[in-house]
Amino acid sequence: MPRRTRPGVIALAGIAALTLVGATACSSGSTEDTAESGPVTISFTWWGNDERAALTEQAIDLFEEANPDITVKSSFSTIDAYIPKLATQIAGGGAPDLFLIPMESVREYSSKNALTPLTDYIDDGTIRTEDITEEALKVGTIDDTVMGLTLGLANNAMVYNPTVWAAAGAEAPGAGFTWDDLKAAGEKIRAASDGKTAALSDPGGQIAYFEMYLLQNGKHLFTEDGEVGFTEKDLADWWTLAGELREDGTTTDAETTSTIDQSMQNSGLARGISAAEFSAASLTGAYSDTLGAENIAIAPFPTDTDESGMTLNGTNVAAVSSKSKHPDAAAKLLDFIINDSEAGKILGLSRGIPTNSATYEAISPTLEGGNKTVSDFVSEYQDTFQPPAPLAPAGASTIPADFTLAYEQIIFGQTELKDAAKATVASITSAIS
């Protein structure tokens, strides 16, 4: 088998994580790479963790067996390292043949002509979409042109350790759980642990959870027209709530929060520093592997409104580079990882709910452990999910990192909350203008 790059990095995709799926092991459409007369090698990169990488490699092995003239060189890393590296590769014209991009980057890279339109591949059957829902197709569609496809659907939720909550006598989170309920639980968990464990890893610096808060209050990060969908007051209110939770010990302190990133080894929940964490629900398996299945459960976000703030949406998009020398081979691989049934069985829910609805129906009865927990959660709460958010406008790709930096400046006393909110809204507005 070909040698592949396998960095020893365990990562959590903070705003996500989705599935590879499908229909037949060897049929991937009729388009052939007319520019080549022999075997070709293509590159495929994504962000994720070791578990996801191992399963993805197994799916790629299947693809190579079915397509012996195509060799796939794959690599992955944490999202924090992946995003700037990909931006540099795209700017220099050296992007991988097939790669994942966050939803907030689809418009931006499309406007820079960095992506190969997939509509022709869909029309000629190279990429099959008959079992992909309309909502999933919209994730990578710009002006009626499919520029990429999400590999699955996922929702964010609150992942928690039920053993810790029960031992502290704290009310388990569930339907109707409020922010005040979280504060009450935080008091009990702190007391039971002699102040060593917070109820929740501080979510204040993650824009994905600010968007959850906005959804609970009837707003979005961005409007359908690509404008900022919230005000300085909305952001100040979110950071004020986060501050109250931090100051009373419900969430992690500033020093601890600054060490928590989107990797499992730095997760507050995985390290026992917190008893819960907002996360992509599809990563429940990774938490279970670390803490044991009996110590992991998922629940809706706390909310003070009738809205949950949860959506079932794509969290990344697989795209073919416009500079690829082998776009037909890359399109074949994309079709395979979405539509191959055997790959779907291997990958389960490691990247979320499969985009291919037929595959999800087929594997649902066989799910176990963390995958079953996620599937059961979606089934129980899907009626509370809100419509997917509008696709982010061009220029939004750097906003999540800037948002985190702004919050860290607040919690370390380097700037006033209101000043940070004003500057952040101005920065986001400028970025997407």
Side-chain angles (χ1 to χ4, degrees):
M1 298 308 296
R3 180 176 298 174
R4 303 191 181 107
T5 303
R6 304 184 188 213
V9 180
I10 301 176
L12 301 183
I15 37 193
L18 308 166
T19 323
L20 311 178
V21 267
T24 63
C26 36
S27 175
S28 296
S30 58
T31 300
E32 299 294 337
D33 280 28
T34 57
E36 301 99 20
S37 58
V40 301
T41 298
I42 60 174
S43 53
F44 174 36
T45 64
W46 70 91
W47 70 85
N49 58 25
D50 284 348
E51 176 193 31
R52 181 184 299 166
L55 296 174
T56 302
E57 295 291 357
Q58 292 181 45
I60 291 173
D61 288 344
L62 282 182
F63 173 78
E64 290 176 329
E65 290 173 10
N67 298 273
D69 286 340
I70 303 175
T71 297
V72 181
K73 289 187 176 180
S74 62
S75 63
F76 76 102
S77 62
T78 64
I79 190 170
D80 291 342
Y82 178 91
I83 296 302
K85 180 179 179 180
L86 179 65
T88 300
Q89 290 174 321
I90 289 177
D97 297 284
L98 182 66
F99 53 87
L100 297 194
I101 51 177
M103 289 174 59
E104 62 265 21
S105 298
V106 178
R107 285 190 184 277
E108 179 174 352
Y109 286 142
S110 177
S111 68
K112 292 179 178 179
N113 298 317
L115 313 179
T116 295
L118 301 179
T119 304
D120 287 346
Y121 289 112
I122 292 172
D123 290 343
D124 70 14
T126 300
I127 298 176
R128 295 158 291 167
T129 60
E130 57 267 27
D131 289 323
I132 300 177
T133 65
E134 182 178 351
E135 292 77 9
L137 280 173
K138 286 181 179 178
V139 173
T141 299
I142 305 294
D143 298 329
D144 297 324
T145 299
V146 180
M147 303 305 298
L149 292 169
T150 182
L151 299 185
L153 299 171
N155 64 284
N156 290 325
M158 187 163 84
V159 183
Y160 71 101
N161 187 329
T163 304
V164 174
W165 285 63
E171 176 189 353
F177 194 75
T178 67
W179 293 102
D180 282 342
D181 291 334
L182 177 62
K183 292 178 182 179
E187 184 176 352
K188 292 182 178 180
I189 291 170
R190 277 285 186 192
S193 65
D194 294 327
K196 296 178 181 178
T197 305
L200 180 72
S201 297
D202 188 345
Q206 301 298 317
I207 199 167
Y209 307 130
F210 172 52
E211 182 168 32
M212 168 272 299
Y213 176 79
L214 289 174
L215 285 169
Q216 291 180 348
N217 291 280
K219 295 188 176 184
H220 287 290
L221 275 179
F222 304 107
T223 67
E224 291 286 357
D225 296 328
E227 303 292 334
V228 176
F230 62 94
T231 65
E232 291 176 20
K233 183 180 183 303
D234 294 323
L235 181 51
D237 287 346
W238 166 244
W239 279 340
T240 297
L241 172 61
E244 293 173 354
L245 295 170
R246 183 180 67 256
E247 289 165 8
D248 69 13
T250 299
T251 58
T252 48
D253 60 76
E255 290 290 343
T256 299
T257 299
S258 68
T259 69
I260 298 173
D261 56 22
Q262 295 178 18
S263 64
M264 184 60 73
Q265 66 265 34
N266 292 327
S267 159
L269 175 58
R271 288 186 288 165
I273 296 172
S274 64
E277 202 155 78
F278 292 166
S279 177
S282 58
L283 295 171
T284 302
Y287 284 108
S288 296
D289 290 344
T290 302
L291 296 175
E294 71 279 6
N295 295 321
I296 289 296
I298 48 180
F301 293 117
T303 181
D304 290 336
T305 72
D306 291 332
E307 302 292 350
S308 69
M310 296 188 297
T311 63
L312 189 63
N313 205 350
T315 56
N316 60 28
V317 171
V320 176
S321 171
S322 62
K323 302 295 184 182
S324 173
K325 295 181 180 179
H326 312 296
D328 295 357
K332 279 188 176 183
L333 175 58
L334 177 53
D335 173 78
F336 188 89
I337 62 180
I338 289 177
N339 290 315
D340 183 82
S341 58
E342 293 303 313
K345 293 176 183 177
I346 290 172
L347 289 144
L349 302 193
S350 63
R351 291 178 183 267
I353 301 298
T355 300
N356 185 300
S357 57
T359 295
Y360 182 44
E361 291 176 6
I363 68 174
S364 290
T366 68
L367 296 175
E368 299 177 347
N371 284 341
K372 186 177 187 304
T373 299
V374 174
S375 184
D376 290 347
F377 178 83
V378 171
S379 296
E380 181 176 359
Y381 289 103
Q382 61 184 347
D383 289 343
T384 71
F385 291 170
Q386 298 175 243
L391 200 61
S397 59
T398 62
I399 290 174
D402 293 342
F403 190 92
T404 299
L405 178 60
Y407 184 67
E408 288 184 350
Q409 290 174 340
I410 294 172
I411 64 179
F412 284 108
Q414 297 170 347
T415 186
E416 294 295 325
L417 187 152
K418 289 186 178 180
D419 293 338
K422 182 177 180 179
T424 299
V425 173
S427 176
I428 292 174
T429 303
S430 176
I432 65 173
S433 294

